[in-house]
Amino acid sequence: QVQLVESGGGLVQAGGSLRLSCAASGRTFSSYVMGWFRQTPGKEREFVATISWSGDSTDYADSVKGRFTISRDNAESTVILQMNSLKPEDTAVYYCAAGPILGSAYRSDYSYWGQGTQVTVSS
C-alpha cells in the first residue's frame, strides 16, 4: 500500500511556472514507477509524465514535452513535476500515481493515486 499526497497547485498567469510535489508514504517508494496525470471536467484523465524507479528514464506527453520536467528523490519519497511556460490549456486537476510498469502512459497500469491538486492557468 502506498499513500500519495500532491501539493503545489494554484493559480498562475500564462507563461508562468508551478512546481508540483507528491509525497509518498507506505511501502518502498523506490520500487514504484511514478507518473503524473491530469483531468478536466468531462474529459478522460490523461497522461502527463512518468519516471522510472531510479529516475534515469522519463517520458512525456507530446503536449508538455520541453515545458514540463519530472524528477524524483527516493531518499525523500517525493516526485516533482516542474511546469514551465504554462498555457491555459494546462488547466486541470493534476494527479500523482504509482505503479509497476516502466514507461506506461495508461491509467490502468497505475495502482495508487493521490487526491489531486488544482492547477489554473489564466490567459
Side-chain angles (χ1 to χ4, degrees):
Q1 189 80 8
V2 176
Q3 293 78 42
L4 303 172
V5 179
E6 302 95 336
S7 61
L11 173 64
V12 64
Q13 287 190 330
S17 298
L18 277 177
R19 179 180 170 93
L20 303 184
S21 295
C22 174
S25 60
R27 296 184 65 182
T28 307
F29 176 73
S30 60
S31 66
Y32 290 97
V33 169
M34 299 300 297
W36 285 95
F37 288 74
R38 65 187 182 186
Q39 188 170 21
T40 54
K43 291 191 175 181
E44 295 285 324
R45 192 170 297 186
E46 66 173 9
F47 168 75
V48 175
T50 185
I51 189 166
S52 63
W53 306 275
S54 63
D56 61 350
S57 177
T58 58
D59 196 13
Y60 298 90
D62 288 343
S63 59
V64 307
K65 205 169 289 185
R67 300 187 297 121
F68 290 12
T69 302
I70 188 172
S71 61
R72 68 189 295 163
D73 184 337
N74 287 341
E76 296 294 328
S77 297
T78 58
V79 60
I80 301 295
L81 185 68
Q82 178 65 44
M83 306 186 295
N84 299 329
S85 302
L86 282 161
K87 305 175 181 179
E89 51 264 43
D90 294 318
T91 296
V93 177
Y94 283 72
Y95 296 90
C96 173
I101 309 297
L102 179 64
S104 177
Y106 297 102
R107 298 189 309 274
S108 57
D109 286 337
Y110 291 83
S111 308
Y112 303 101
W113 294 83
Q115 82 291 347
T117 185
Q118 175 71 47
V119 170
T120 303
V121 184
S122 63
S123 57

